[in-house]
Amino acid sequence: MFSLVFATNNLHKLREIREITGNTINVRSLTDIGLDADIPETQDTIEGNARQKARFIYEKTGMDCFADDTGLEIAALNGEPGVYSARYAGEGCSFADNVRKVLEEMLGMDDRRACFRCAICLIYKGNEFVFEGRIDGEITFSQSGSDGFGYDPVFRPEGQPQTFAEMPPYLKNGLSHRGRAVHQMLQYLNQFQ
Ligand code: ITT
């Protein structure tokens, strides 16, 4: 089995990645390897941030690892919050603050189109690769559901009756930006089995 360190401090992502990879990869958290690190993400693209986070952990540990950077892009807001999704409502804000801000910014807007984009950077045997996953959908007019995290209560994927937060994890993971990016990474890793 592959053993990879996941360069994240977001425990929701960690849980999802473990659900998606099942028993194909031993996903080790920073806690598992005893590393307490504030990982920098100062780039202006999600791909750049994913590379920066993975390189940071690789340089510190020399271990095979990967990182995920995700952004919610809203068409009517010119692609915002995008790469700034984590701190859209300000430094130190909560998921709830961000969701409220999205709903406020979109008050009275009919064009609700949005997408999640996820970039995963893998560093395996010292080589670096980036995989991307995307899901289109729309921003709902109010929050629904309590599963998932982040913007899930206001994002409804195209063709679905429920927001991500109303779906059981297997359904979200089967459709999501993260699920799609991880499947590409798994396909890539298959060649080394
Ligand atoms: P790490 O950098 O430590 O991995 P982070 O929370 O800073 O964690 P990102 O910068 O990639 O992660 O994510 C930006 C924000 O986008 C994140 O804080 C969530 O609010 C939101 N987000 C990411 N993935 C999401 C998902 O699957 N569903 C809903 N919101 C998500």
Side-chain angles (χ1 to χ4, degrees):
M1 202 199 291
F2 298 102
S3 193
L4 300 176
V5 176
F6 183 25
T8 187
N9 281 309
N10 181 326
L11 296 178
H12 301 275
K13 280 188 187 175
L14 177 65
R15 191 189 58 225
E16 279 189 6
I17 291 272
R18 284 188 167 142
E19 281 161 359
I20 297 165
T21 53
N23 55 13
T24 54
I25 293 182
N26 173 24
V27 178
R28 304 175 73 193
S29 67
L30 298 183
T31 311
D32 291 338
I33 60 163
L35 188 68
D36 181 11
D38 192 14
I39 310 173
E41 44 180 315
T42 55
Q43 305 303 301
D44 55 9
T45 61
I46 60 167
E47 176 180 332
N49 275 337
R51 287 185 191 274
Q52 186 180 24
K53 291 189 268 190
R55 281 177 196 164
F56 179 82
I57 294 302
Y58 183 69
E59 279 160 17
K60 275 208 166 332
T61 67
M63 293 172 170
D64 295 330
C65 62
F66 68 102
D68 158 324
D69 201 69
T70 294
L72 172 67
E73 297 179 356
I74 300 175
L77 302 181
N78 300 315
E80 279 190 12
V83 73
Y84 304 109
S85 293
R87 46 188 188 281
Y88 188 42
E91 217 52 59
C93 63
S94 66
F95 290 152
D97 297 332
N98 283 336
V99 165
R100 259 195 307 273
K101 177 157 182 190
V102 163
L103 289 178
E104 275 168 25
E105 295 286 328
M106 295 202 69
L107 266 181
M109 289 186 175
D110 290 331
D111 177 3
R112 313 293 297 186
R113 287 171 304 141
C115 73
F116 271 115
R117 292 206 309 122
C118 172
I120 287 185
C121 175
L122 167 72
I123 302 182
Y124 188 66
K125 296 181 186 287
N127 296 311
E128 191 174 304
F129 305 89
V130 172
F131 308 93
E132 290 202 17
R134 171 188 172 134
I135 173 81
D136 290 300
E138 57 184 31
I139 301 298
T140 51
F141 287 91
S142 60
Q143 305 189 39
S144 13
S146 53
D147 244 309
F149 67 101
Y151 297 95
D152 283 347
V154 291
F155 183 84
R156 182 166 49 226
E158 217 163 58
Q160 297 296 316
Q162 297 171 306
T163 66
F164 269 158
E166 293 176 292
M167 296 179 180
Y170 80 89
L171 246 182
K172 176 187 173 186
N173 295 336
L175 296 166
S176 80
H177 46 296
R178 182 163 298 109
R180 291 174 178 180
V182 169
H183 280 293
Q184 286 183 43
M185 178 172 81
L186 293 179
Q187 257 179 2
Y188 171 80
L189 283 169
N190 255 340
Q191 69 184 297
F192 298 104
Q193 273 191 336

